[in-house]
Amino acid sequence: MNEKRRPIVLADRDGTLIRDVPYLSRISEIALLPGVAEAIVRLNRAGIPVAIVTNQSGVARGLFPESFVPEAHARLMELFEAEGAQISGIYYCPHIRPEEIPRPDGRTLVSLVRDCDCRKPAPGLLLRALSDLFGDPSQSALIGDADRDIAAGRAAGCKEGYRILGESETPPAHPESNTTLVRSFSEAVDLYLKRRHIF
Ligand SMILES: [Mg+2]
Ligand SMILES: [Zn+2]
């Protein structure tokens, strides 16, 4: 077993690749953020696979059926294909932790309330992607717009994390090591490729 491991980019979905709509539950709400498709094309050209890792607790919360998730992802793939951008995998977590729903209401899917290993900041989704795509964590990066994305990247052993700051968000005074603050997915990809000496 010594198949060659390679760098991959793990990307959060909402607020990173597409417009952030809390508990997005309509296909019409899916919109790529500016520069995202082009950045993925740059990664594709560099031979670096891109996987999406996304928390979708709206399923456990009963806000949309689990069947909506693959529908949304089919639409997302369509939007990327139209721009010539290739995604190698999409991984999602439908769960929520018990402490996040202290009193389940009538909508909560109790079977999905659990301490899973895949809800970020847990690294389960990332580890699956790394395994499926023969990713080498020590050459890979996580790009996301939340601290729990960065934490998941670190827990999965990713060499670098890129934290996208919101428009009005002030950068933290003491950013963590191996974490680069950026304003967009595209900026993160530029820096990642530069650091790997791929222009
Ligand atoms: Mg996000
Ligand atoms: Zn999960």
Side-chain angles (χ1 to χ4, degrees), residues 8-11 17 49-54 73 76-77 80 86-92 125 128-129 132-133:
I8 72 172
V9 164
L10 299 154
L17 301 178
V50 181
I52 301 173
V53 285
T54 178
H73 291 163
L76 187 54
M77 293 302 244
F80 279 128
Q86 208 188 312
I87 301 291
S88 297
I90 307 185
Y91 301 82
Y92 73 94
L125 301 176
R128 248 189 279 161
D132 290 351
L133 300 172

Side-chain angles (χ1 to χ4, degrees), residues 92-96 114 116-119 125 128:
Y92 73 94
C93 164
H95 308 116
I96 193 160
R114 69 170 81 142
C116 67
D117 69 354
C118 48
R119 180 162 169 75
L125 301 176
R128 248 189 279 161

Side-chain angles (χ1 to χ4, degrees), residues 13-14 18-33 63-64 68 72 75-76 79:
R13 192 190 84 177
D14 301 344
I18 64 175
R19 196 160 50 102
D20 197 16
V21 177
Y23 307 114
L24 182 143
S25 59
R26 269 175 295 200
I27 296 290
S28 60
E29 295 171 324
I30 300 172
L32 295 181
L33 288 169
L63 300 176
F64 47 84
F68 174 74
R75 172 64 181 152
L76 187 54
L79 293 173

Side-chain angles (χ1 to χ4, degrees), residues 12 14-16 145 149:
D12 168 55
D14 301 344
T16 296
D145 70 328
D149 297 320

Side-chain angles (χ1 to χ4, degrees), residues 35-77:
V36 161
E38 294 90 325
I40 289 174
V41 169
R42 285 202 296 280
L43 290 166
N44 293 158
R45 289 201 182 120
I48 298 171
V50 181
I52 301 173
V53 285
T54 178
N55 280 355
Q56 293 298 321
S57 70
V59 179
R61 295 175 201 268
L63 300 176
F64 47 84
E66 185 152 9
S67 60
F68 174 74
V69 179
E71 276 171 41
H73 291 163
R75 172 64 181 152
L76 187 54
M77 293 302 244

